[in-house]
Amino acid sequence: MSGDKRPHELGAFLKARRSELSPRTVGLPDPGVKRRVKGLRREEVALLASISTDYYTRLEQGRRQASGPVLDTLAQVLHLDDEERAYLFELAGRTTAARPRKQSAQKAQPQLRRVLDELTTTPGMVLGRRMDILAWNPMAAALLVDFSAVEEKRRNYIWLLFTDPMMKSVHAEWEKTARSCVAMLRKEAGRNPQDQRMAQLIGELSMRDEDFRRWWGDHRVASLGRGSKVLRHPVAGELTLDWDALACATDPDQQLVVWTAEPGTPSHDGLRILASWSTASSPAGG
């Protein structure tokens, strides 16, 4: 309404809160260069919240209204407590919504773990929401990376694909695989628009990697189903493997992904070489 100062107060509040944060605080890489302006930049907040910089800039300038889900995401990005979050909603002219229920941490279904234990010559893993790696067998660790050595909150397939040098080097067709994974992630993000951990993952990858940021902007979508990929392993050599994602009947958010090779091919022989080599290289986990 006329004379309403709340939009301008909202902008001042957002600016003040982002000035108190640093890249390291929100999990972004710190370049170590002194910044001209204290705190996070507008474009960093926008990327972490999975909104455009123009949208966020207009919000700070009092020229744009934000929806409830956007306010919720901004509250998380800016590390607001309950009182600050309520104040944010008040300034935005929104009824304070209850905090979104946090999704409980996923655990691999027992039957999927049993299947993994039986796959002694076949790489396999259980992927959950956002491509989180919930469980794996020794063959998967030997083929890709030692997941037990990865911090639990970073055990995410697409995160490792973009940030881990070993994951990049083993994928002979890395760009093709990475583009496909970005499209799969975008489809899942569309199904769960209020998933705050998803928004954080997208924001962090967008800040870290120019390729991810560009491909995310393409808005392509794909399903996690089946395909083939070429891997270049230092022990097993070049492997052309088919992969299949098998949905869990008791939890549709979990899928068992296995890599196999046509019997009688060099790739099939390579998997057997990998199986004999992997005994002590990477324990199962999750």
Side-chain angles (χ1 to χ4, degrees):
M1 68 184 180
S2 177
D4 191 348
K5 296 181 179 180
R6 287 182 304 179
H8 300 290
E9 292 175 358
L10 172 63
F13 179 67
L14 290 171
K15 187 175 181 180
R17 295 289 77 79
R18 69 178 170 87
S19 72
E20 296 176 345
L21 300 173
S22 67
R24 184 172 298 176
T25 305
V26 295
L28 296 177
D30 190 344
V33 179
K34 188 174 181 179
R35 297 183 166 210
R36 291 188 299 107
V37 180
K38 182 182 177 183
L40 294 178
R41 299 187 178 100
R42 283 174 173 170
E43 57 267 27
E44 291 172 332
V45 175
L47 281 170
L48 288 169
S50 296
I51 57 179
S52 71
T53 301
D54 179 68
Y55 182 105
Y56 180 77
T57 299
R58 287 172 176 268
L59 194 60
E60 271 201 7
Q61 293 173 344
R63 298 188 293 127
R64 180 72 191 240
Q65 288 188 326
S67 65
V70 168
L71 292 173
D72 268 324
T73 302
L74 286 173
Q76 184 194 29
V77 168
L78 296 173
H79 294 197
L80 303 186
D81 61 25
D82 288 344
E83 288 189 6
E84 290 171 328
R85 177 178 174 274
Y87 184 59
L88 175 69
F89 272 79
E90 181 181 333
L91 291 178
R94 299 281 180 181
T95 303
T96 305
R99 277 191 176 274
R101 288 174 52 189
K102 289 187 176 180
Q103 291 177 310
S104 58
Q106 280 186 294
K107 299 293 182 182
Q109 292 289 327
Q111 65 269 34
L112 297 185
R113 287 180 175 274
R114 290 195 294 270
V115 173
L116 283 179
D117 290 341
E118 295 295 325
L119 299 176
T120 57
T121 61
T122 301
M125 65 173 59
V126 177
L127 295 185
R129 294 186 293 266
R130 302 170 294 273
M131 299 189 195
D132 290 338
I133 300 168
L134 306 181
W136 61 93
N137 64 5
M139 280 290 285
L143 180 66
L144 300 173
V145 296
D146 181 3
F147 299 113
S148 64
V150 177
E151 188 180 5
E152 185 174 358
K153 69 177 183 179
R154 294 304 189 192
R155 286 180 197 152
N156 176 278
Y157 194 88
I158 194 167
W159 174 266
L160 293 174
L161 190 63
F162 276 90
T163 64
D164 187 278
M166 179 60 73
M167 282 283 278
K168 281 195 171 186
S169 65
V170 77
H171 284 84
E173 300 172 325
W174 178 85
E175 180 174 335
K176 175 184 175 183
T177 299
R179 280 177 175 268
S180 179
C181 284
V182 171
M184 293 174 193
L185 191 69
R186 179 167 274 286
K187 182 168 184 179
E188 184 173 351
R191 288 195 307 112
N192 300 286
Q194 295 190 35
D195 186 336
Q196 295 182 350
R197 285 189 61 192
M198 172 74 80
Q200 184 177 11
L201 172 65
I202 294 165
E204 291 181 358
L205 283 171
S206 296
M207 290 300 303
R208 291 180 64 105
D209 194 278
E210 183 180 351
D211 286 329
F212 179 90
R213 186 163 61 248
R214 185 172 67 256
W215 298 334
W216 185 259
D218 289 341
H219 291 268
R220 296 187 181 278
V221 294
S223 298
L224 180 63
R226 62 187 303 274
S228 63
K229 61 178 59 181
V230 180
L231 302 174
R232 202 168 285 134
H233 194 273
V235 172
E238 185 169 297
L239 304 170
T240 300
L241 303 178
D242 297 318
W243 62 269
D244 291 89
L246 312 174
C248 176
T250 56
D251 185 351
D253 284 338
Q254 293 190 31
Q255 293 182 304
L256 174 65
V257 181
V258 294
W259 289 267
T260 60
E262 187 73 25
T265 63
S267 295
H268 189 262
D269 295 337
L271 284 181
R272 293 192 173 277
I273 293 172
L274 186 64
S276 62
W277 173 80
S278 70
T279 304
S281 67
S282 182

